[in-house]
Amino acid sequence: PSTLVLPPPDPLDLPLRAVELGCTGRWELLNLPGAPESTLPHGLPPCAPDLQQEAEQLFLSSPAWLPLHGVEHSARKWQRKTDPWSLLAVLGAPVPSDLQAQRHPTTGQILGYKEVLLENTNLSATTSLSLRRPPGPASQSLWGNPTQYPFWPDGMVEEGVLNLQERVPHLSHLLTVPPGFKKGVDFAPKDHLTPAPGLLSLSCLLEPLDLGGGDEDENEAVGQPGGPRGDAVSASPCSALLARASSLEDLVLKEASTAVSTPEAPKPLPQEQWAIPVDATSPVGDFYRLIPQPAFQWAFEPDVFQKQAILHLERHDSVFVAAHTSAGKTVVAEYAIALAQKHMTRTIYTSPIKALSNQKFRDFRNTFGDVGLLTGDVQLHPEASCLIMTTEILRSMLYSGSDVIRDLEWVIFDEVHYINDAERGVVWEEVLIMLPDHVSIILLSATVPNALEFADWIGRLKRRQIYVISTVTRPVPLEHYLFTGNSPKTQGELFLLLDSRGAFHTKGYYAAVEAKKERMSKHAQTFGAKQPTYQGGPAQDRGVYLSLLASLRTRAQLPVVVFTFSRGRCDEQASGLTSLDLTTSSEKSEIHLFLQRCLARLRGSDRQLPQVLHMSELLHRGLGVHHSGILPILKEIVEMLFSRGLVKVLFATETFAMGVNMPARTVVFDSMRKHDGSTFRDLLPGEYVQMAGRAGRRGLDPTGTVILLCKGRVPEMADLHRMMMGKPSQLQSQFRLTYTMILNLLRVDALRVEDMMKRSFSEFPSRKDSKAHEQTLAELTKRLGALEEPDVTGQLVDLPEYYSWGEELTETQHVIQRHIMESVNGLKSLSAGRVVVVKNQEHHNALGVILQVSSNSTSRVFTTLVLCDKPLSKDPQDTGLATPEVPYPDDLVGFKLFLPEGPCDHTVIKLQPGDIAAITTKVLRVNGEKILEDFSKRQQPKFKKDPPLAAVTTAVQELLRLAQAHPAGPPTLDPVNDLQLKDVSVVEGGLRARKLEELIRGAQCVHSPRFPAQYLKLRERMQIQKEMERLRFLLSDQSLLLLPEYHQRVEVLRTLGYVDEAGTVKLAGRVACAMSSHELLLTELMFDNALSTLRPEEIAALLSGLVCQSPGDAGDQLPNTLKQGIERVRAVAKRIGEVQVACGLNQTVEEFVGELNFGLVEVVYEWARGMPFSELAGLSGTPEGLIVRCIQRLAEMCRSLRGAARLVGEPVLGAKMETAATLLRRDIVFAASLYTQ
């Protein structure tokens, strides 16, 4: 083929300089005036204007010119000059010192400069967890970066410190008295306040000299958990001794015996107490003396519990405020924010729901001004001193090492009882574990029964005291009523059930039942006998509500919140009340103006949405609806009008009670049963209290009214009592392992996932005794060291084996017997008359005969006649004939039966399945009832001397004859042959037991005269070792409940290539860290290039399957690309599910794939293509509010994918995700919250 002829290169015409970068062959053109130079081996690349035309002609006119099949020109190579020195050019080392100005102390004039050495100059955000590392770039200061390390979490022990302690030799042999001196100096730490006699304490001598003044801070930081911080300094024995000595020399020369008081007896260690309950009833009289200038002033006088919390905040303590609804927990948060502003630090206020974040933003901004908001889609004033955010965002900031954490003084967790949420509760635990130690914690929660336990967990985790402040009563007491009316005639049927003092009125309950019964009987007279059940329909509902609201209106008990546990019923009930109008004309005009102002921000077609028009009509009449299916902007309008008192009746679902602080005069429960996702059940006391707590506005109402509607029959009294008077749910750990958590911790060498699991609330009960376990372990180690070694020479050489055989045989027999007692055939054989061998505390291998078998809900009980010795004295001391001290082969092999030494007696006892050591083949004919009757009669003092019945004596004689005939135990039922147990463990256990019996019979050591003494020594030693092993296991990572699952999940990550064999996080793992949910699926889709080929709107539509909550199937009208895309996403999910199953996780492939809901694919696709929202609602039956929520979450997901694409270096996908997010963010879906305006 002919070569391309180029004009001779003439670089002199171009003001360019080509510079080679590094040694990878990259080069750059610099547009510099002056003589062109080049470091490229062949000068500048050729450049000619007609090059393009020539190439086009050749390529297009004569395609044969292209050497498609020739390989000689396919790989050209230009040899470069090697320059090994370029590899040695490294970045300069960090500057080791700095110049500091020295100033005149009074005038501030600069006198000169001094060079100071800098510490930790080599730290960076990608290598260190220290707060001393330099801050990252300003662009990343807020969110951090997924490649950065987090800051060191408080409460985690650094491994380096531990290893250092292990490496330092024990200092016990170091001298404290120099050779030739009479006295020395004690270098012990300050905690040991009394040195040994003959020594002077160095810390005592130096304490009065106040060297450097830095001691107090240290004391405060180290503050002992026993007392308030910083008290350690005052309790010094040196203070008395200082008064006597006029100078340090006198002090040193005094005789040691006079200087040091005699050491007191060692006190027992106080138990660590991290949660300190504060009495919320004792008044704080000296509040204004202790805090003369509070950081914040309220228009009202704070309550006692608020004052106590404020006092602790001033001392920089962490507090847990568990107060009743509307008691005023926000006061504590406000004071912390004001305190942080005074200290020039920052506060983070986290809430579980976005709506609550928006409301708090408005409230705090009106109060403080300097407040910012961070939610998934909104960032307002991120530089403010108080930031309001959801807990998930704080978690991602902690993992990404955000520099906001440096200035943080307080983190306020609102609605902490949300930690019980199965889906999101784990986030709270992660955040609490990951917070660094300079951050103090404020927890605000509704009343929970185990507040102390929860605070104790946090205190133990953070090694600091948590002060628990609980309120005793509600500020506005509640009265609970039953309402049975359904027409204007019966609108007065309101019965008090629980009064404001907490007394339950059974009279009211029976009156309600009577009223209901009377109506039912009238109904029966009119319509025939059988129709007493309530046929609930919209018409009947309307009757009930009209009569109830009429009754409340006459008693001036509006506004009212009606809690209904289904979105559909909410809408139905509100729509049914067409005739009801509760607002005056002036209120109507106020509502109209407010609606106009709010809806003006929507575009024209959005203002005409059916839901907007319907809601406007309801609001004008003073009715409102609030649930997740309502558009967010309408929900906010309803909330604002309700808080102004313009919405008189609000139909809401449970979410309205979660933290949204909007109290009413009255709360009505439509029903006391709700569907929790799987079944219908009664409300839990905690849920009832949370919702009922909305009744009663502080300062406006003397009491709040709670009404339960009885549309059908009146609920059972016990159910009502449990719901109204029961304890609210405890705070329970929902900790679980997520891939994001594992990857985020694996990428930091110093943090281990095991440490995170150890510190979770779920592991707290088993870990809180770890200190005691360590002490016990140390004591046992000492005891073990002091024990004498058993002699195992000569004949006793097989003593250790004999001991282990005996232990194993006993254990194997226990296992087999347990299997027998759990099997059907085993329990069948244990009928009346069966002879068994009994082994428990009182009886050792005694024969017994079963008289009666009874079973309760948990286990069976066998009433048995058992042989025993006649008691010789009244004193029951002789029952100690339990296990023989030293077991010989006869004791271990078979059952060496108990034979009475003197006259034989009998007793009747109730046996649990565990008390039966063996089931024999013998069955006696006994009359169980007769024997039991006779025995119980002879237990009475009157008949004590009576001889037993013939039936009893016969049975006892039979048993005695059996025991004498088979001293090594009568033949027992074989578990495999007789009882047909084919379980592997039983069969193998039987074989192993026979082998062990042979070994025990052949043991030599038992023939030695020293056997008993040496056996006891060995047994004591082995028991201590066994206990030590148990404690070591409890203290080790192996005892963690979630450890097996952790290993399985790491195996999944390894199989998918997210981490390597050594546990180092690879590129795919780093990408997964950047995702907030469905991390594996999204990363796999990205690395499979499943998304790159699609258009932005198609990507958005496909991803809706990952965030959509409402189940449903994608329609048939979808374009083919989307159908194929859905199949591909499902295939990837199936592959991940199969890997999970293969690695042992107990989530089936169907469950994993079932988490995807493609019901809104078409809706999202059309929305991204620009369809107006008014047309969108007709595409699916999903409520508008849920569609908006789905699209908002989708936009967040597109954003996180965009970040991940940039991390991998895929600019095309990154740009597509940016476009997708922009296409989604428009109109009513992303109308800004009214609270943030």
Side-chain angles (χ1 to χ4, degrees), residues 326 474 476 478 557-563 642-643 647-650 656 660-668 691-698 700-701 703-706:
S326 78
R474 284 179 50 88
V476 180
L478 296 181
Q557 288 199 316
L558 300 178
V560 55
V561 179
V562 180
F563 282 113
F642 184 78
S643 58
V647 170
K648 311 293 183 187
V649 180
L650 178 62
F656 183 76
V660 181
N661 185 20
M662 307 246 161
R665 176 84 176 81
T666 307
V667 162
V668 173
M691 287 183 262
R694 298 285 149 227
R697 297 160 301 176
R698 194 168 182 180
L700 291 175
D701 307 322
T703 59
T705 310
V706 183

Side-chain angles (χ1 to χ4, degrees), residues 246-265:
S246 55
S247 75
L248 197 62
E249 285 92 334
D250 293 358
L251 191 68
V252 179
L253 294 173
K254 292 233 173 181
E255 196 52 44
S257 55
T258 58
V260 177
S261 57
T262 52
E264 293 174 21

